[in-house]
């Protein structure tokens, strides 16, 4: 049973103020797109950033929080990420087709959640 209320103690250690929180891979997308979600400690808040190979801008909600997310809140954040189409200025829009494969050293059950979801849709 997945513990959706799990919350890591901290994303940051010592002087480290930026971490790779989650890596998402979309094998059903045309180019096998990947999206990396970073957490940054800025202005006494944890701020989130999504980065892809093409340099697209993303809308993330919430964009910042005061404490680490629960697994449930992280899943809502990940499933709600959208490309900011107002900022496309000639870039190549990432097409996030299918259900991602997720990796996170902070949320050990995140991979299991998306694996189970992929199986329920017949993707694995």
């Amino acid at each position: 049973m997945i513990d959706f209320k799990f919350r890591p103690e901290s994303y940051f250690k010592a002087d480290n103020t930026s971490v790779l929180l989650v890596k998402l891979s979309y094998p059903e997308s045309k180019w096998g797109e990947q999206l990396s979600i970073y957490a940054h400690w800025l202005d006494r808040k944890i701020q989130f950033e999504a980065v892809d190979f093409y340099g697209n801008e993303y809308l993330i909600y919430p964009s910042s929080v005061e404490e680490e997310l629960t697994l449930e809140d992280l899943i809502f954040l990940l499933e709600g990420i959208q490309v900011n189409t107002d900022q496309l200025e000639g870039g190549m829009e990432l097409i996030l087709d299918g259900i991602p494969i997720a990796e996170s050293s902070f949320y050990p059950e995140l991979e299991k959640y998306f694996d189970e979801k992929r199986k329920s849709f017949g993707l694995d």
Side-chain angles (χ1 to χ4, degrees):
M1 183 96 168
I2 295 175
D3 179 7
F4 290 102
K5 297 302 177 190
F6 170 79
R7 180 188 315 265
E9 189 175 311
S10 177
Y11 297 144
F12 312 103
K13 296 188 191 297
D15 292 335
N16 189 4
T17 59
S18 291
V19 295
L20 174 60
L21 191 60
V22 178
K23 182 179 174 186
L24 301 173
S25 301
Y26 292 83
E28 285 74 41
S29 290
K30 183 176 182 179
W31 304 106
E33 281 89 346
Q34 293 187 354
L35 188 61
S36 298
I37 313 304
Y38 291 90
H40 307 287
W41 180 250
L42 283 163
D43 300 326
R44 297 184 181 179
K45 285 188 175 184
I46 300 167
Q47 299 190 15
F48 301 108
E49 174 186 30
V51 177
D52 69 15
F53 179 76
Y54 307 109
N56 290 306
E57 295 287 327
Y58 290 88
L59 302 173
I60 300 175
Y61 182 81
S63 60
S64 67
V65 293
E66 294 183 4
E67 65 180 341
E68 286 72 12
L69 297 171
T70 63
L71 176 59
E72 178 179 46
D73 291 336
L74 177 66
I75 291 168
F76 287 136
L77 180 145
L78 296 174
E79 291 183 337
I81 291 176
Q82 297 178 9
V83 175
N84 184 352
T85 55
D86 293 339
Q87 301 291 322
L88 274 179
E89 300 180 19
M92 183 173 172
E93 182 178 351
L94 187 68
I95 307 297
L96 305 176
D97 285 339
I99 297 167
I101 295 170
E103 298 174 35
S104 175
S105 58
F106 296 96
Y107 294 89
E109 292 186 298
L110 184 66
E111 183 175 350
K112 180 180 178 184
Y113 169 81
F114 280 107
D115 284 349
E116 288 178 5
K117 188 170 183 177
R118 288 178 59 77
K119 286 178 187 170
S120 73
F121 281 87
L123 296 174
D124 280 334

